[in-house]
Amino acid sequence: MTDVLGWRCKFGVFGPSTNTIVQPDFDDMRPRGVTNHYSRIFTPNANAVSNESFRASAEVIASNVLEAVRSVMTCAPDYLVMGMSATRGLQSFATNACSAGPGPIPPSRARTRCAPN
């Protein structure tokens, strides 16, 4: 069944719960027929003032990524977007986590549905 509002494309977007930029940016850029569906990776609002505190914060985020991905995958998005910086190590984790959802989206279907009219 075609989504009523997201008939062109549905984005599943996830990022840290402390991020206040990605959701408004995606909403501002959203064209007609595209919907954004958000999921938050829980993380305490910690200051990364050293390599150790940054690493500790990244580990908390990494341990909570899978739950955020599972949650947003229930709406069957055409694309999954990780909205955060400094994620080199988390990118492969998130990619693997996507396979835990309802399954990959065939690229040809996603390109067709999201292409401009």
Side-chain angles (χ1 to χ4, degrees), residues 8-23:
R8 286 173 57 195
C9 183
K10 292 188 295 186
F11 285 112
V13 184
F14 67 103
S17 55
T18 55
N19 185 306
T20 61
I21 303 301
V22 172
Q23 183 173 351

Side-chain angles (χ1 to χ4, degrees), residues 11-14 22-27 36-40 71-72:
F11 285 112
V13 184
F14 67 103
V22 172
Q23 183 173 351
D25 277 356
F26 261 70
D27 289 341
N36 304 317
H37 307 275
Y38 298 94
S39 184
R40 302 291 183 170
S71 177
V72 79

Side-chain angles (χ1 to χ4, degrees), residues 18-111:
T18 55
N19 185 306
T20 61
I21 303 301
V22 172
Q23 183 173 351
D25 277 356
F26 261 70
D27 289 341
D28 287 347
M29 295 184 295
R30 187 179 62 82
R32 189 170 155 260
V34 175
T35 54
N36 304 317
H37 307 275
Y38 298 94
S39 184
R40 302 291 183 170
I41 305 166
F42 174 77
T43 183
N45 195 1
N47 290 325
V49 295
S50 67
N51 287 341
E52 292 77 25
S53 61
F54 178 82
R55 191 172 301 116
S57 179
E59 288 174 8
V60 169
I61 291 170
S63 68
N64 293 319
V65 166
L66 186 57
E67 191 58 38
V69 172
R70 280 185 183 146
S71 177
V72 79
M73 290 302 288
T74 61
C75 74
D78 296 297
Y79 289 99
L80 188 61
V81 179
M82 183 177 214
M84 62 182 285
S85 57
T87 61
R88 182 95 171 114
L90 293 175
Q91 288 172 351
S92 62
F93 181 84
T95 300
N96 292 335
C98 291
S99 63
I105 292 124
S108 60
R109 184 179 135 239
R111 277 194 303 271

